Amino acid sequence: MNFYSVIIGTELLNGRRTDAHFEFLNKELLKRGWEQKASFVIKDDPKFMEDVFTLIKNDPKSVMFSFGGIGATPDDYTREVAAKVFRDGKTEQNQIAKQMIIDKFKEEAYPNRINMATLPTDVVLLKNIVSNVPGFGIDERFFFTPGFPSMSRAMVVEALDRFYPQSDKQKIRYTLKAKCSEDILVATMKKIPSGIDFSSLPQIDGEKRTTVISVASYDKEEAKKYFDIFVEFLDSKNINYTLEDD
C-alpha cells in the first residue's frame, strides 16, 4: 500500500502553528512495516483540497490520513470535499455521530456542533478520546481526523490497528558511510535499477566529504546484491567506509 498524509491548515503555512502530525504518523507506519509515499501540507482551500484528494484517490493502492477541517466553523471544508471526491457528493446525518455529539454537548450541540454529524455516506467512525466528536474513514482506505494532535493520534492508531496492523513484507536495508564525495559514486549509482529503494546523502565537515549510501528492498538477496556493488567499488579504489546500522 502507498500511504499519504494530507495536513490541512493555513495557520501551518503562515507560521502561526507548527505541524505535529507528520512525525507521529511516520513513526506509527514505520513500526508496522509501512512508509509514506508523499505528504502534503495545504491551505484550507476547498478546490485545492479536492485536487489533492483526487490525486491520491487515483492511486489504486493509496491509503490516506487527512488532518484538520472536520470541525463546525465556516472554514472547515473537509467533510464536504471528502463527500464530493469519494462519495459523488452524497452526505447524510450520521445518527451515531449525532448521538455522540448530543451526549457530549447537550443543548450546546445546536445550532453548530451538530453539523459535524453530517458526513459522507457509508463511513466508519473513529473514536475521539477528547471531545467524543468522531473522525471517520471511507472504504477502509481514506481516514479523516481533527487538526488537534490530542484527538487525531488515537484515531490514527485505531485505523492502523483495525485495517493495516502490519505489513506482510519487511524491507531489508543496508547502509554504509564512504569517505569520499558523492561524485565519485555516480557511475555506480547508475547501475541501481529503479525498483530498488536507493538513496545517497552527501555530508560536508570542513574540507572532509563523506557520502552515506543506503540500499533497500523487500527481497533480501536483491538488496544485498546491489549494496555489494558499492562495497566492491570502494574496495577496488581503496576508499575507506564504515557499515552503518539501521
Side-chain angles (χ1 to χ4, degrees):
M1 306 304 294
N2 296 324
F3 285 82
Y4 298 81
S5 58
V6 180
I7 304 163
I8 302 166
T10 302
E11 67 276 9
L12 297 172
L13 296 167
N14 62 26
R16 293 177 57 232
R17 289 187 179 179
T18 57
D19 169 60
H21 298 296
F22 176 87
E23 183 178 0
F24 178 81
L25 175 61
N26 227 39
K27 180 180 177 182
E28 290 298 319
L29 289 173
L30 289 172
K31 74 182 185 182
R32 291 170 167 82
W34 306 108
E35 57 189 50
Q36 291 195 69
K37 184 172 183 177
S39 180
F40 302 85
V41 180
I42 63 175
K43 293 182 65 173
D44 299 274
D45 178 333
K47 180 60 174 68
F48 189 49
M49 291 165 62
E50 180 183 344
D51 291 342
V52 173
F53 286 173
T54 300
L55 172 70
I56 294 169
K57 177 187 175 184
N58 288 340
D59 177 350
K61 293 185 177 181
S62 61
V63 178
M64 179 183 75
F65 284 88
S66 173
F67 301 91
I70 63 171
T73 57
D75 61 343
D76 286 317
Y77 304 114
T78 302
R79 288 177 286 111
E80 177 184 351
V81 176
K84 185 175 183 180
V85 173
F86 299 102
R87 287 292 185 262
D88 295 324
K90 296 176 182 177
T91 64
E92 63 183 0
Q93 189 170 69
N94 186 288
Q95 295 304 306
I96 298 175
K98 176 182 177 181
Q99 192 59 52
M100 288 178 170
I101 294 168
I102 292 172
D103 289 346
K104 175 66 176 180
F105 296 104
K106 307 299 189 292
E107 66 276 3
E108 293 181 1
Y110 295 91
N112 297 315
R113 289 189 174 100
I114 202 65
N115 293 326
M116 292 186 286
T118 301
L119 301 175
T121 56
D122 191 23
V123 301
V124 297
L125 299 181
L126 301 172
K127 184 176 181 180
N128 189 326
I129 63 174
V130 176
S131 74
N132 209 41
V133 180
F136 60 95
I138 296 176
D139 299 334
E140 300 182 0
R141 290 174 54 203
F142 309 107
F143 303 99
F144 301 86
T145 73
F148 296 102
S150 59
M151 299 179 184
S152 66
R153 288 179 175 179
M155 295 184 190
V156 167
V157 172
E158 178 187 353
L160 289 173
D161 284 349
R162 287 175 66 181
F163 303 113
Y164 303 96
Q166 189 68 45
S167 171
D168 59 359
K169 296 181 179 180
Q170 186 66 42
K171 185 172 284 188
I172 306 300
R173 184 177 300 278
Y174 296 96
T175 305
L176 61 78
K177 178 186 280 189
K179 295 183 178 180
C180 65
S181 69
E182 196 176 34
D183 181 70
I184 293 173
L185 298 170
V186 169
T188 307
M189 294 177 192
K190 291 180 178 180
K191 298 178 182 179
I192 307 300
S194 59
I196 296 293
D197 183 343
F198 164 75
S199 66
S200 170
L201 179 64
Q203 299 177 338
I204 301 174
D205 182 9
E207 295 298 317
K208 297 180 180 179
R209 293 178 179 267
T210 59
T211 303
V212 176
I213 294 295
S214 180
V215 178
S217 173
Y218 292 110
D219 185 324
K220 183 177 182 179
E221 292 183 2
E222 189 175 53
K224 187 68 165 58
K225 171 185 174 181
Y226 288 106
F227 180 73
D228 283 346
I229 291 176
F230 289 96
V231 172
E232 291 165 6
F233 173 79
L234 294 169
D235 286 341
S236 71
K237 300 297 183 182
N238 294 317
I239 297 173
N240 291 328
Y241 59 89
T242 56
L243 300 178
E244 307 269 298
D245 292 326
D246 281 295

